[in-house]
Amino acid sequence: MATIVMERIGRLFINLQQVRTVPQMLTEAAPSMPGTLRDTEVPGFFRERYIHAGYRPLHQGWRYYCLSLFQRHNETINVWTHLLGSFLVLVKFLQLAETVDFIDDAHAWPLLILLLSSLAYMACSTVAHLLAAKSEFYHYCFFFLDYVGVAQYQYGSAVAHFYYAVEPNYHQWVSPVFMPTATFLCCLSCLGCCYGKYRNYSLRVWVRKVGQVIPSAMAYAWDTSPVFHRLLRYLWTTSHSDDIAAPASGIVGDPAISFHGSQVAFFLSSAFFFTNPFPERLFPGHCDFLGQGHQLFHVFLVICTLCQIQASHLDYLGRRPLYTQLHGEGAATVYLVQYGATLVACVCIAVFIARKVKRLLNCRDKSK
């Protein structure tokens, strides 16, 4: 018995010795990285209002920016919020794939578009915040990619809301124009965001913000209008119907309503933090790593997306007789093709503006 105990203690000691070598192995695998810089040490283009430190140095190798995923800097939380968000959406996707036939059931394709577009915008945002510090040109390019992802999410939201959440009377009003308008606003939003970024030097901050926010706000209002109509109808029904008539209306007791209400509330909260540098405005220099408004914007938007996916899934399950009657068999195929077309259109917009940026930077460098 004593011999066995001593052998186990010896093995444990060897294992502990191996564990002690792990930090050295990690150091050799990832050599020391350059430290972060203060705002006065980076070009003005990269500076964020009220953020005084935590900026990564420019013109490093791609390996540095990839490994900065594990470094403390002023973009770390922005990267991780959407990286973890994309992981949560992927887990939800895999869970739904066990019960939803995304291949043979055409009526599941709007839900598929929403899931793919949600993954796309979070992945594009993650890449943009992780790699955009390499140079001014790549800063433009990666955030143009981010705007393409946001535009795709806008289209995915429009499809899911119009297909599953719409009420028959609202569908009758907007059916001929809803998806064409949503497609146009999706591309307009991408163009407004890319062009506003491109005119970074020549326009005031508030002018650029207006150019970026107004098209996106128009897209959100239109894409979510079926949900707004349904929520208003729910509130009207619950406040004006008696106990017998209310359940018969088909609205009261709808399990998706609470998730639709939540997604609207979380999106509006995220919009506040996107348009306002709060709370860092109150504590300049104290939110360089944690506590930035853009970080809160990311968190609220992830929660909004998860509520939206859950609401759309519940509508997919519970409103099948309604949406099959409203949309028929061929509509989902059209929307899937339009999704690919809007993706191509938004990529073309981003590439076109990126080329203008390249010419602008080349002319500026030659004039020095």
Side-chain angles (χ1 to χ4, degrees):
M1 178 64 71
T3 303
I4 295 175
V5 171
M6 292 302 296
E7 288 179 357
R8 292 182 177 178
I9 292 175
R11 291 174 184 172
L12 178 62
F13 179 75
I14 294 173
N15 291 335
L16 290 175
Q17 288 290 99
Q18 293 173 344
V19 170
R20 291 176 61 185
T21 64
V22 170
Q24 181 180 355
M25 294 170 59
L26 291 175
T27 301
E28 293 174 354
S32 59
M33 299 171 63
T36 57
L37 307 174
R38 293 194 59 80
D39 54 351
T40 55
E41 300 176 285
V42 297
F45 178 79
F46 290 90
R47 299 173 192 170
E48 296 290 340
R49 288 182 296 170
Y50 313 111
I51 306 300
H52 295 171
Y55 294 91
R56 288 168 293 173
L58 280 66
H59 308 302
Q60 303 297 309
W62 289 112
R63 183 185 181 188
Y64 162 73
Y65 296 103
C66 291
L67 290 177
S68 69
L69 177 67
F70 307 102
Q71 185 186 27
R72 180 188 173 106
H73 52 80
N74 58 26
E75 291 280 20
T76 302
I77 305 300
N78 286 327
V79 173
W80 277 98
T81 46
H82 272 172
L83 181 61
L84 293 177
S86 61
F87 175 76
L88 293 175
V89 173
L90 180 60
V91 169
K92 184 66 176 178
F93 194 168
L94 296 176
Q95 290 175 346
L96 293 179
E98 296 178 358
T99 57
V100 178
D101 187 357
F102 286 117
I103 298 176
D104 296 325
D105 182 8
H107 293 298
W109 291 351
L111 180 59
L112 175 64
I113 293 172
L114 176 61
L115 288 163
L116 292 177
S117 61
S118 299
L119 282 172
Y121 95 79
M122 291 188 192
C124 292
S125 173
T126 299
V127 171
H129 286 285
L130 182 64
L131 302 179
K134 181 172 175 62
S135 69
E136 187 170 348
F137 177 68
Y138 283 115
H139 181 91
Y140 279 109
C141 289
F142 283 119
F143 276 102
F144 290 169
L145 176 67
D146 187 17
Y147 302 147
V148 171
V150 170
Q152 295 311 294
Y153 176 59
Q154 291 171 350
Y155 181 87
S157 299
V159 171
H161 294 159
F162 182 63
Y163 204 88
Y164 300 124
V166 71
E167 292 292 318
N169 53 348
Y170 190 74
H171 179 271
Q172 185 179 2
W173 296 338
V174 301
S175 179
V177 298
F178 187 87
M179 287 310 303
T181 303
T183 302
F184 170 75
L185 290 175
C186 162
C187 297
L188 181 64
S189 174
C190 183
L191 176 62
C193 290
C194 290
Y195 189 75
K197 190 77 171 177
Y198 163 66
R199 296 294 300 272
N200 183 74
Y201 285 113
S202 56
L203 298 176
R204 295 182 179 180
V205 173
W206 71 269
V207 177
R208 287 188 287 109
K209 281 292 184 182
V210 167
Q212 293 176 327
V213 169
I214 286 183
S216 298
M218 292 170 57
Y220 174 76
W222 181 258
D223 298 343
T224 317
S225 60
V227 173
F228 294 148
H229 176 266
R230 186 166 160 195
L231 290 172
L232 290 173
R233 182 166 179 244
Y234 170 80
L235 294 174
W236 176 267
T237 303
T238 54
S239 61
H240 290 80
S241 298
D242 55 37
D243 294 338
I244 297 177
S249 68
I251 294 290
V252 176
D254 186 345
I257 283 292
S258 61
F259 288 100
H260 280 305
S262 297
Q263 67 141 315
V264 171
F266 283 118
F267 182 87
L268 294 177
S269 299
S270 71
F272 170 80
F273 287 107
F274 176 77
T275 55
N276 293 279
F278 182 87
E280 61 266 32
R281 173 186 292 174
L282 303 179
F283 310 100
H286 295 280
C287 300
D288 297 338
F289 175 68
L290 183 65
Q292 301 170 25
H294 199 83
Q295 298 168 358
L296 298 173
F297 159 70
H298 276 203
V299 172
F300 282 121
L301 193 57
V302 168
I303 300 173
C304 163
T305 303
L306 294 174
C307 291
Q308 182 183 32
I309 292 171
Q310 182 65 17
S312 298
H313 179 229
L314 290 173
D315 285 338
Y316 165 78
L317 295 175
R319 309 185 96 209
R320 193 175 187 91
L322 177 59
Y323 61 72
T324 52
Q325 178 185 356
L326 292 177
H327 302 289
E329 293 295 331
T333 304
V334 174
Y335 300 153
L336 190 61
V337 172
Q338 283 183 346
Y339 177 64
T342 56
L343 175 60
V344 172
C346 290
V347 169
C348 290
I349 290 171
V351 170
F352 174 74
I353 303 297
R355 288 179 176 177
K356 293 179 70 67
V357 169
K358 186 69 173 177
R359 289 195 294 267
L360 174 67
L361 295 178
N362 288 340
C363 291
R364 194 186 64 187
D365 291 340
K366 290 178 181 179
S367 63
K368 289 182 178 179

